């Protein structure tokens, strides 16, 4: 297993949300739950265990850590202040964001992978969820301290079947972005080296604007161009992790707007209101 390996699931309905992480680090294994409620700051619960306590294969949806289990069917936890019982309905769509050769050569680029679906039902620390969009992801890397990344995950918009996830790692002084999009019953996977150079662009990466962190990107999928803007209130970002001089800040209450500039839906804008994961490690 690489020195740092992460498994996580998030789900949100715009009023409540939770983000469960299982983390393998050289010095310890960690179960961490971030709970979000509208009108309140995020609450984080963390349980640490000896190194090597977490069992799982990076890239696969199966991990277990001292009473917390995560697999393709759901997740369960009976740890103190971390009560979860969730059943997943994965739809078979998935994405490997980073070309294998990149994560092999550069140990500060996460080998990021996601699986998409619906949270059929769940209870997490007293909040109930039903038919909420969900994303299960894993990533691993060798050098967490020097890694920098941006993540925009919008699994459901206000109409149609649009879903978007954009990941970008900082490499050789520039953003290396890749993207997954589902639209019109079709998956678009922009995850090659050429896609990163010419078809996916990062504009703003967590720029402060009127008390919000703002993220912008553009995608050029076959036959269409999409401009994406996502933003979230600063007070709704939880500080999940720190490694030397870097920190991971994440919200589940981001709002994302996707504007189609060309292609059959040109002129249309789709909105995901307060149901997006936005993450910045810097």
């Amino acid at each position: 297993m690489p020195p740092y390996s992460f498994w996580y699931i998030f789900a949100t309905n715009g009023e409540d949300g939770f983000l469960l992480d299982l983390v393998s680090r050289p010095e310890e294994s960690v179960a961490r739950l971030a709970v979000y409620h509208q009108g309140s700051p995020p609450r984080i619960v963390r349980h640490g265990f000896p190194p090597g306590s977490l069992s799982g294969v990076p890239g696969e949806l199966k991990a277990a850590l001292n009473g917390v289990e995560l697999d393709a069917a759901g997740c369960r936890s009976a740890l103190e202040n971390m009560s979860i019982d969730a059943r997943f309905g994965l739809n078979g769509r998935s994405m490997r964001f980073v070309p294998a050769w990149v994560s092999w050569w550069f140990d500060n680029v996460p080998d990021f992978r996601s699986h998409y679906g619906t949270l059929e039902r769940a209870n997490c620390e007293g909040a109930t969820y039903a038919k909420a969009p969900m994303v299960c992801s894993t990533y691993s890397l060798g050098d967490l301290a020097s890694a920098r990344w941006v993540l925009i995950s919008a699994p459901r918009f206000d109409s149609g079947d649009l879903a978007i996830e954009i990941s970008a790692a900082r490499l050789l002084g520039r953003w290396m972005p890749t993207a997954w999009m589902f639209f019109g019953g079709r998956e678009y996977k922009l995850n090659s080296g050429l896609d990163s150079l010419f078809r996916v662009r990062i504009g703003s990466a967590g720029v402060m604007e009127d008390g919000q962190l703002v993220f912008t990107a553009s995608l050029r999928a076959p036959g269409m161009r999409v401009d994406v803007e996502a933003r979230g209130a600063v007070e709704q970002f939880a500080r999940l992790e720190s490694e030397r001089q870097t920190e991971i800040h994440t919200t589940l209450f981001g709002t994302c707007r996707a504007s189609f500039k060309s292609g059959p839906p040109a002129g249309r804008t789709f909105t995901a209101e307060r149901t997006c994961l936005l993450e910045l490690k810097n």
Side-chain angles (χ1 to χ4, degrees):
M1 185 182 297
Y4 299 91
S5 295
F6 294 72
W7 290 256
Y8 74 81
I9 167 197
F10 84 87
T12 177
N13 54 25
E15 302 290 330
D16 301 292
F18 71 91
L19 170 62
L20 173 68
D21 281 286
L22 299 179
V23 186
S24 175
R25 303 169 60 96
E27 68 275 15
E28 65 175 342
S29 299
V30 176
R32 181 179 60 222
L33 177 67
V35 178
Y36 297 76
H37 297 297
Q38 185 177 17
S40 302
R43 179 174 63 89
I44 300 175
V45 179
R46 188 182 190 278
H47 293 279
F49 301 97
S53 300
L54 193 156
S55 63
V57 177
E60 296 185 5
L61 278 186
K62 188 174 180 62
L65 173 61
N66 288 55
V68 185
E69 296 182 354
L70 170 67
D71 55 37
C75 66
R76 300 149 294 280
S77 170
L79 292 177
E80 184 179 1
N81 296 319
M82 199 178 282
S83 174
I84 300 174
D85 183 13
R87 182 179 296 277
F88 303 162
L90 297 178
N91 54 29
R93 299 168 197 152
S94 64
M95 172 72 166
R96 182 172 185 174
F97 283 82
V98 179
W101 67 267
V102 174
S103 54
W104 190 85
W105 276 103
F106 300 97
D107 63 358
N108 63 340
V109 176
D111 182 9
F112 183 59
R113 313 180 193 199
S114 287
H115 300 259
Y116 308 99
T118 301
L119 197 62
E120 297 291 349
R121 60 165 181 79
N123 185 290
C124 176
E125 286 296 297
T128 58
Y129 303 80
K131 301 300 181 181
M134 55 153 284
V135 180
C136 288
S137 300
T138 74
Y139 61 94
S140 57
L141 69 166
D143 183 3
L144 181 61
S146 66
R148 306 288 190 277
W149 66 72
V150 169
L151 180 61
I152 302 170
S153 187
R156 181 183 293 173
F157 284 78
D158 54 359
S159 61
D161 61 357
L162 178 64
I164 292 174
E165 191 165 44
I166 302 168
S167 171
R170 197 75 178 171
L171 180 63
L172 302 177
R174 67 177 299 273
W175 288 112
M176 189 191 79
T178 52
W180 172 86
M181 183 171 73
F182 188 85
F183 183 71
R186 178 182 172 185
E187 277 187 290
Y188 298 87
K189 298 185 177 185
L190 305 176
N191 60 350
S192 71
L194 288 176
D195 291 328
S196 181
L197 288 171
F198 302 112
R199 299 187 183 99
V200 186
R201 295 289 177 88
I202 295 293
S204 299
V207 174
M208 179 73 77
E209 184 179 297
D210 298 327
Q212 297 184 316
L213 295 183
V214 179
F215 305 77
T216 61
S218 63
L219 315 179
R220 292 184 180 275
M224 65 185 78
R225 177 188 150 204
V226 188
D227 286 352
V228 176
E229 181 192 82
R231 56 178 65 219
V234 171
E235 64 270 17
Q236 287 295 337
F237 279 80
R239 176 179 170 274
L240 296 182
E241 188 96 14
S242 63
E243 189 72 21
R244 297 183 191 169
Q245 302 302 312
T246 66
E247 296 181 342
I248 301 175
H249 294 265
T250 309
T251 184
L252 300 187
F253 287 163
T255 292
C256 183
R257 290 180 174 83
S259 301
F260 283 77
K261 301 301 183 181
S262 63
R268 294 189 64 185
T269 296
F270 298 83
T271 301
E273 190 77 32
R274 290 178 53 83
T275 55
C276 305
L277 180 148
L278 307 178
E279 183 167 282
L280 174 66
K281 183 179 186 292
N282 63 358

